[in-house]
Amino acid sequence: MLFDDAPILLPDAELRLVPDWCPPSRAAQWLEQLLEQTPWEQTVVHLHGRDYPVPRLVNWYGDPEAFYTYSGQTHAPLPWTPLLAEIRSAVEQAAGQRFNGVLLNYYRDGQDSMGWHSDDEPELGRNPVVASLNLGGTRRFDLRRKGRNTIEHSIELSGGSLLVMSGATQHYWQHQVAKTRRPVAPRLNLTFRLVHALP
């Protein structure tokens, strides 16, 4: 992988953060265009007999075969837009990994969030590489070991930063973006993945 920055040292994990991967002017342009171009959805998850709206807006883009199932729902990919194809190419070069799908999460304010989870769905295969591009406001990204309830490491993900998680990270660690009462700017997160066809 082509990184100038030192890795984040956690046991059983491979994490690299490039804080200024995308220049501010380009990051601002990408943010504006993606917010305008994306047909945002607020999906609903079914838990304990009730439906709950997901606390953020989302959509999934990818190659035609890149169907992705998470939180009990299978998402058919929207076709790549020229802008997302351009961003994918740059992220692939930085991460040294091919990607065939990207999940867009739009956090409108501090009450939009992402609960504890691992990106360990079967279709991502063993030791998946997940590249997370952050545009807009800064949000705290927490990590904890699976089976534990305490935050063990936090990263401030600022606009233009690129975080790449690889190796055994998803097998041993969970991550979240928690709600915050602090005033925060809207944030757009793009997580690129390689989805494999299941047998």
Side-chain angles (χ1 to χ4, degrees):
M1 292 188 186
L2 305 176
F3 290 100
D4 297 326
D5 296 70
I8 298 165
L9 299 177
L10 293 175
D12 303 314
E14 292 181 29
L15 298 165
R16 284 189 174 268
L17 174 66
V18 185
D20 302 312
W21 181 77
C22 183
S25 59
R26 184 180 304 158
Q29 183 182 39
W30 284 354
L31 176 64
E32 180 182 357
Q33 290 179 287
L34 289 169
L35 290 182
E36 182 180 317
Q37 294 176 6
T38 306
W40 295 108
E41 298 179 352
Q42 186 167 28
T43 57
V44 172
V45 293
H46 191 73
L47 292 172
H48 311 298
R50 293 184 60 187
D51 290 333
Y52 298 91
V54 170
R56 61 192 175 278
L57 302 181
V58 302
N59 224 318
W60 170 252
Y61 287 81
D63 293 352
E65 74 282 1
F67 284 79
Y68 187 41
T69 301
Y70 66 93
S71 298
Q73 296 181 327
T74 298
H75 299 265
L78 293 173
W80 296 98
T81 65
L83 176 57
L84 284 172
E86 173 192 342
I87 297 173
R88 172 175 67 161
S89 179
V91 171
E92 285 179 335
Q93 186 173 1
Q97 166 72 43
R98 182 176 74 86
F99 298 113
N100 63 1
V102 61
L103 181 64
L104 275 63
N105 286 292
Y106 178 34
Y107 300 81
R108 297 159 291 183
D109 55 34
Q111 293 307 295
D112 277 357
S113 62
M114 172 86 75
W116 286 111
H117 70 287
S118 299
D119 297 319
D120 57 359
E121 293 81 11
E123 60 264 44
L124 297 183
R126 182 174 174 80
N127 295 341
V129 177
V130 178
S132 173
L133 172 61
N134 304 280
L135 303 172
T138 298
R139 291 292 292 267
R140 196 186 75 204
F141 182 86
D142 300 320
L143 293 129
R144 70 178 184 187
R145 291 280 293 200
K146 286 188 177 179
R148 298 183 185 173
N149 294 320
T150 56
I151 296 171
E152 298 186 40
H153 192 79
S154 295
I155 308 166
E156 293 289 330
L157 294 180
S158 57
S161 65
L162 181 68
L163 174 68
V164 178
M165 299 178 283
S166 56
T169 306
Q170 306 300 333
H171 298 290
Y172 294 101
W173 292 86
Q174 293 182 315
H175 51 272
Q176 72 164 0
V177 177
K179 296 181 188 299
T180 178
R181 289 191 173 91
R182 292 187 296 117
V184 291
R187 170 186 184 246
L188 177 57
N189 175 248
L190 295 80
T191 50
F192 290 86
R193 307 145 197 259
L194 178 60
V195 177
H196 303 274
L198 292 177

